[in-house]
Amino acid sequence: MPNVLMTCRRQVGGWVFILLLPFTLVTDAARYHPISPLPLPPVMIWAWDRPEDLDFINPAQVGVAFLATHILVDKRGIREQPRGNPLWVPTNTIRVAVVRLEVRPGTTLQESHLLATTEAILGIWRHPRLAAMQLDFEASLSQRPFYRALLNELRRQWPTEIPLSITALASWCMEQQWLEKLPVDEIVPMAYRMGSEATPLLRAWLAAGGQFRQPVCHQSLGLATDEPLSLPKAGRRIYLFAPQPWTPTLLHTMLSRITS
């Protein structure tokens, strides 16, 4: 199991698969009913693989979604890059383990990739004191059947009361309906670093606090500390990304802007 380096400042802290190929034939998603409401705080901060001292957060208000491992998939199989930096949080902080998934260009995804990736992610889940799991995968059009099959297999392997979250490109939530029946409890549209996706329509939609066209994307939103905030309508969980280490001042500033 990957060694997730997490400490608390006050306290040290047989496979059965039914798979059909092609991946598009896996259809368990329609039978899953998402958990509502999720047992997560209204604000979550992403902690990527760098030393992060978050002992200053208020766990009643803020949770932490930390990068646990980076899984690289290529024609030879999968390779894990576990978190290599420490993370300090108060003992009662709600934690979400984030798995970053990346498929190397030119890789033809096979059942062996699916089995190995599932096993690696479940290994992270067995880390103690996690409230949920989040997958971060910018799946291309050809990779979406694999992604759906992966989510189905993960959902089959752990209790239905355990939340499964995924990130999503903002464009997926505007036009594409493939998200609707995924067996997940939360979809977090990333309304930052959109590049060519940042069309005037999308920017105006977000800046006005409007809704994404796909209802499954209405629960949460991902924002960045170094970009103008496109604040959503009240009631959404906010995930915050910072390109630099978090500080009390930075977090206070962001919370003030979100709640103002």
Side-chain angles (χ1 to χ4, degrees):
M1 183 177 86
N3 179 24
V4 179
L5 301 179
M6 175 173 294
T7 61
C8 298
R9 183 57 51 85
R10 306 175 192 85
Q11 174 182 318
V12 177
W15 296 93
V16 177
F17 292 93
I18 303 174
L19 299 174
L20 299 173
L21 295 178
F23 297 121
T24 50
L25 297 179
V26 181
T27 58
D28 283 358
R31 295 197 292 270
Y32 182 69
H33 300 286
I35 298 170
S36 181
L38 286 187
L40 301 177
V43 177
M44 299 290 296
I45 58 177
W46 276 308
W48 296 111
D49 196 1
R50 63 192 177 212
E52 287 279 17
D53 186 349
L54 302 177
D55 199 44
F56 56 83
I57 69 172
N58 177 0
Q61 184 181 28
V62 176
V64 176
F66 67 97
L67 183 65
T69 195
H70 187 180
I71 298 178
L72 304 171
V73 182
D74 60 26
K75 60 184 179 182
R76 296 171 295 180
I78 74 165
R79 178 165 54 92
E80 292 184 71
Q81 294 179 345
R83 183 182 187 90
N85 287 290
L87 172 65
W88 291 278
V89 297
T91 55
N92 55 339
T93 300
I94 292 179
R95 306 167 178 89
V96 173
V98 180
V99 176
R100 169 67 177 166
L101 182 60
E102 181 182 351
V103 177
R104 296 299 195 192
T107 303
T108 300
L109 291 167
Q110 305 288 343
E111 182 178 349
S112 60
H113 292 117
L114 181 61
L115 300 181
T117 303
T118 300
E119 184 171 4
I121 294 172
L122 289 174
I124 288 290
W125 171 248
R126 296 187 183 101
H127 191 274
R129 294 179 298 161
L130 295 179
M133 176 77 74
Q134 184 175 87
L135 267 63
D136 180 36
F137 180 29
E138 297 179 10
S140 67
L141 183 62
S142 63
Q143 295 166 354
R144 289 173 196 167
F146 169 84
Y147 196 19
R148 181 183 294 276
L150 174 64
L151 292 170
N152 281 323
E153 200 56 52
L154 288 171
R155 188 75 273 176
R156 184 164 30 230
Q157 293 288 328
W158 69 54
T160 56
E161 67 271 15
I162 303 302
L164 177 59
S165 169
I166 64 171
T167 62
L169 298 178
S171 61
W172 294 355
C173 294
M174 288 295 289
E175 300 290 351
Q176 301 169 18
Q177 298 181 359
W178 74 282
L179 297 172
E180 287 184 352
K181 295 182 180 180
L182 294 180
V184 298
D185 304 288
E186 178 186 54
I187 295 176
V188 185
M190 296 179 292
Y192 62 94
R193 306 292 194 272
M194 290 186 287
S196 61
E197 296 180 10
T199 62
L201 173 62
L202 180 55
R203 285 294 189 186
W205 194 285
L206 292 174
Q211 296 283 28
F212 287 107
R213 292 178 182 173
Q214 298 305 320
V216 293
C217 297
H218 292 175
Q219 183 177 3
S220 302
L221 187 68
L223 301 171
T225 61
D226 61 340
E227 292 189 10
L229 291 186
S230 301
L231 296 178
K233 293 181 179 178
R236 288 195 189 185
R237 179 173 299 103
I238 301 297
Y239 283 79
L240 293 173
F241 167 80
Q244 74 277 8
W246 285 97
T247 65
T249 299
L250 177 59
L251 180 58
H252 176 75
T253 299
M254 295 304 297
L255 292 178
S256 297
R257 294 168 69 183
I258 289 171
T259 58
S260 62

